[in-house]
Amino acid sequence: MSTLSRPKSPHTPTTTKKGREEDSFWDKFSTLGRKRGTREVKKIQEEGKYAIDSPGSPNQYDIPPEDYALREHEQRAVIDPQSINDPEVVKLQRILVDWINDELAEQRIIVQNLEEDMYDGQVLHKLWEKLTGKKLDVPEVTQSEQGQHEKLNIVLKAVNHTLGFHQKIPKWSVASVHSKNIVAILHLLVALVRHFRAPVRLPENVFVTVVIAEKNAGVLNAQKFQEQITSEYDDLGMRCEKDAFDTLIDCAPDKLAVVKKSLITFVNKHLAKLNFEITDLNTDFRDGVYLCLLMGLLGGFFVPLHEFHLTPQDVDQMVNNVAFAFDLMQDVGLPKPKARPEDIVNMDLKSTLRVLYSLFTMFREYA
């Protein structure tokens, strides 16, 4: 990121002399030898070569030698350099970089490289504030590595809370992001794009090859596997697809009030059978309880109370409730909602209106 106050990366790449051919994997170990004792380097060389060249291990990878200097039982994941240059991975990174720069353009923050610009939490901090409209009480700039860790820890806690990771474990951590693990950073940014329904189209089914190195009984073993970063999305239009509700909210607030009043009247006509009443479309449906009960009333069937959380305690339970209500909608013949359960929980008014309007269209004749 092009800011004067931004501290340099703790891992500064080594420059090569002009005209010199690129060092091979094992040549890099000789460079390491000038920093460590010859005996230690020789041991690392032997362990790394055995792990890579032994039968059943992955082919030789051009991976920095320090990634193999492991303690006993220590495990480390390294992305295959060939994989990071895959056209789809490159495309994904470019889209994410452009999206971040668009979001933070007013703050004159420019991201050029995800690994180098996201690791310390500074850009992530600003991005979270921009997307949520909230403020986070953390230092603007932290020079020390410890300070970076502390700031990143606070920022990631806020991000994880926003994304609904209260019980589930995310695919990123303070350690992985700060160590510039591009796989973790990609997972994090893709989750933000999906959660906030960013107006971008991500390439589908993007995979990267990850090499896992682990040291056991003094022997270094390496295995590789495919890590999926993006999958297939059936709702990728996101904010790019304009419909009547976009027009109502953006251009006709007076007509929007009429539509909301009609939907509230429709909903309350049915919920009154259970002595319930709603007043706010945004907040009253976010936990999914009324939506589940409404589906039973409209469909003419009893919804077992053990099938959903009558008094949800956290965001995960709210999301499960809304997802269950969406299943009930499909059971009565409605198409799968374009909105995601998370959109209703996050009180996205357009998504809530679309879901309720689909119910109104199908059941308005039934009083």
Side-chain angles (χ1 to χ4, degrees), residues 295 301 324-334:
M295 285 312 306
F301 52 82
F324 176 61
F326 282 6
D327 290 339
L328 295 178
M329 292 174 67
Q330 295 177 76
D331 289 343
V332 299
L334 284 167

Side-chain angles (χ1 to χ4, degrees), residues 70 187 249 266:
L70 305 180
H187 275 306
I249 291 176
F266 163 74

Side-chain angles (χ1 to χ4, degrees), residues 327-346:
D327 290 339
L328 295 178
M329 292 174 67
Q330 295 177 76
D331 289 343
V332 299
L334 284 167
K336 181 181 179 181
K338 292 183 178 180
R340 301 170 305 159
E342 292 86 352
D343 298 327
I344 307 299
V345 174
N346 290 329

Side-chain angles (χ1 to χ4, degrees), residues 248-291:
L248 281 174
I249 291 176
D250 297 337
C251 306
D254 54 333
K255 294 182 180 179
L256 174 63
V258 176
V259 172
K260 291 172 68 174
K261 183 177 180 180
S262 298
L263 291 176
I264 290 175
T265 301
F266 163 74
V267 169
N268 283 335
K269 182 181 294 186
H270 294 278
L271 287 181
K273 301 170 186 177
L274 299 176
N275 294 320
F276 289 125
E277 182 181 25
I278 62 115
T279 57
D280 190 304
L281 295 179
N282 237 12
T283 59
D284 290 344
F285 282 98
R286 72 179 301 257
D287 63 6
V289 174
Y290 284 143
L291 201 55

Side-chain angles (χ1 to χ4, degrees), residues 31-78:
T31 303
L32 182 65
R34 290 192 291 271
K35 299 179 181 179
R36 304 185 180 185
T38 305
R39 183 178 303 174
E40 181 184 357
V41 173
K42 184 177 180 180
K43 183 178 180 181
I44 296 173
Q45 284 180 324
E46 293 172 352
E47 291 175 346
K49 188 171 179 59
Y50 174 82
I52 295 178
D53 296 340
S54 60
S57 295
N59 296 328
Q60 180 168 322
Y61 295 99
D62 186 20
I63 298 172
E66 55 268 23
D67 288 328
Y68 283 110
L70 305 180
R71 297 183 295 273
E72 187 68 18
H73 302 303
E74 183 181 358
Q75 187 181 80
R76 193 166 301 170
V78 185

Side-chain angles (χ1 to χ4, degrees), residues 197-358:
R197 304 182 73 82
V200 297
R201 181 172 291 275
L202 301 178
E204 297 182 349
N205 296 319
V206 175
F207 288 82
V208 294
T209 302
V210 177
V211 181
I212 300 293
E214 184 174 9
K215 188 174 184 180
N216 288 311
V219 178
L220 196 65
N221 298 297
Q223 295 180 336
K224 66 177 180 179
F225 68 95
Q226 294 291 309
E227 175 83 3
Q228 186 170 15
I229 304 298
T230 67
S231 57
E232 295 182 1
Y233 307 126
D234 56 6
D235 59 344
L236 271 187
M238 299 181 189
R239 289 183 289 179
C240 298
E241 293 182 356
K242 296 288 184 179
D243 63 8
F245 290 104
D246 289 291
T247 304
L248 281 174
I249 291 176
D250 297 337
C251 306
D254 54 333
K255 294 182 180 179
L256 174 63
V258 176
V259 172
K260 291 172 68 174
K261 183 177 180 180
S262 298
L263 291 176
I264 290 175
T265 301
F266 163 74
V267 169
N268 283 335
K269 182 181 294 186
H270 294 278
L271 287 181
K273 301 170 186 177
L274 299 176
N275 294 320
F276 289 125
E277 182 181 25
I278 62 115
T279 57
D280 190 304
L281 295 179
N282 237 12
T283 59
D284 290 344
F285 282 98
R286 72 179 301 257
D287 63 6
V289 174
Y290 284 143
L291 201 55
C292 291
L293 296 175
L294 182 63
M295 285 312 306
L297 292 167
L298 294 174
F301 52 82
F302 176 73
V303 180
L305 298 182
H306 67 269
E307 292 288 346
F308 65 101
H309 304 280
L310 195 58
T311 55
Q313 301 300 311
D314 54 40
V315 172
D316 286 339
Q317 292 184 357
M318 294 180 185
V319 171
N320 289 337
N321 280 355
V322 178
F324 176 61
F326 282 6
D327 290 339
L328 295 178
M329 292 174 67
Q330 295 177 76
D331 289 343
V332 299
L334 284 167
K336 181 181 179 181
K338 292 183 178 180
R340 301 170 305 159
E342 292 86 352
D343 298 327
I344 307 299
V345 174
N346 290 329
M347 297 183 290
D348 181 77
L349 179 59
K350 294 177 186 177
S351 298
T352 304
L353 289 174
R354 292 182 182 112
V355 170
L356 294 177
Y357 187 74
S358 67

